[in-house]
Structure formats: structure tokens, C-alpha cells
Amino acid sequence: MHRTTALVHDISLEVTARDRASLSGAALRGGTRVSITHLGTESADDRLDAAAAARAAGFAPVPHLAARRFADASGAREALAGLRERGAHERVFIVAGDPRTPAGPYVSAEDLIRTGILAEHGVREVGIGGYPEGHPAIADDALWAALEAKVAAVQERGMTATLTTQFSFDADAVIRWIERVRAAGIDVPIRVGVPGPAGVGRLLAFARRCGVGSSAGIARKYGFSLANLMGTATPDRFVAELAGRLDLAHHGDIRLHVYAFGDVQAASAWIASAAERTLPLEATKPA
């Protein structure tokens, strides 16, 4: 299989609960994984409705569970029971969550995984986050230790682990991160996060919020001009460079994960087009 073809096969999409009404019109293949974030500004019912909407549209929902937002084990069990009632429980994505002070006993994603609650409720696949460009609030050594511990915790409980990265604009950083993951003996599937098509200003605002690169660095690597903040940026250049440098035999199972940033239609249209074409690798190789 061609490197680009492999990379754009089975692309996943990330949305928020408020995007649920847009899912029925999304130009995605049946069975596409649709991740649903766990935001403090949305209710539990909103997230359950979004998971149900993704399933009703023929997609595979991947609801996020933020460990620090659960006040107790009952809250986590209630969330999982609600997902199971809607047939949206087999795949979940576990994060620590944004609150600095946990609402209950779970400080980290690993804490929630190690309770065994996920497996008890029929979860088969657990997604874990990765940060190729680092995390603005967590030291690099701590990130790597947590990653290895979470993968081990998932596998020890008989579930399948997958890794999905924060969106990135730096192919060098992503390749280095993937190689370090594989060098650590972690051979699980990896989904590399990329922003869906978005206005340049909006894209930079999300990048600043997540601590991903400087505006000038992002513009240079992603291929747009800071002089035109009203323009639209797509991930084509980044994806083409990444595909051109991946060695499937060495780097393993690598796919893409697209962040919708509120525009499900634009993101899903890009996913559909990417799956049907070969990106112009020759035009984007470094000089």
C-alpha cells in the first residue's frame, strides 16, 4: 500500500457535543470513528446525545471521559452505563481533564483506567493522548512515564490501547515522537492529530490555547501567510510531508485524526477528499 494511501485510510474525526446536529450530514464513510470531547461547558446529557447521534449516523462513537471531572466512582459508572444504553461504550478515550483540582478521587487518566470500571462496562478499546510538541503544563519526562503507564494499564486489563496525538504543525516533531514511542516497545496504533480546514485566525487561536508552536513557526511549516488571517488553511502540506517520511515497516500502524474545530462539514469534506486522492508528496519535500 502506498504510504499516503495508508495514512489517509480510516481517518477519524473529533467533535464536541454541540456539533451533534451536524453529524447526520457529515460526508464520512460508515464506521468512521467520531471522538466526542468531554468539556465542562457541556452537560452529561449533551455528550450522551452526541454519542447517540454519531451512532445513528452510522459512525463509531468514541466518547471522551475526563477523569478529574468525576466526583466519585458512581459518576464514572453512570457515564459508562449511559453510553452502554446507547450502544456507544465499546471505544472510549480517557484524559485527565482540564480542572487543576480534581472533583473526586481521579487525578490522572491512569487512575481511572486502573479502577477496572472500563472493562466492567464492556469497553474494548481505550484511546490515550500523546503530545509530539510537548505539553505546556507537564514536563516531558512525566509525559513519557505517564504514556507508558497508561498503555500498560489498558493492556493489563485485557483491553486494546490506541494513541491519538494533539494536533501538530511540525512533521519533524511528530516523526521523532513516533520513533520514540516505537523505541519504547509500544506498538499500538497511532492516530496523528491534524486540524481540519479552518480560518487562519481561528487556527492560530486554537494553537495558542493548546500551546502548540508559535504563530510564525506554524505559518512557515503549515504553508500560509500571517498577512492574510482571513484565509483558510488546510492540512494538505503537513500530511503530504508526513506521508513522505513515514516508513510503514518501521513506524507501524499510523492514521490521521482530524479536529473539526466546530466545522464538521468542512472537516468531513476534507476527509472524504483525502481518502480519494494521493497528496502531492513531491511538491512538499524539504529542499
Side-chain angles (χ1 to χ4, degrees), residues 152-176:
V154 170
Q155 294 175 335
E156 287 164 6
R157 281 148 188 80
M159 298 177 291
T160 298
T162 64
L163 302 180
T164 299
T165 76
Q166 174 62 277
F167 62 87
S168 180
F169 303 92
D170 188 340
D172 289 333
V174 171
I175 292 293
R176 286 195 300 269

Side-chain angles (χ1 to χ4, degrees), residues 8 12 29 44 49 52 60 64 87 90 105 118 120 123 154 156 159 173 177 179 202 215 240 244 252 285:
V8 300
S12 52
R29 295 184 311 170
D49 287 347
H64 290 205
E90 294 190 348
L118 303 179
E120 288 173 11
V123 174
V154 170
E156 287 164 6
M159 298 177 291
W177 184 86
E179 290 178 344
R202 184 174 176 82
S215 294
K285 286 181 179 177

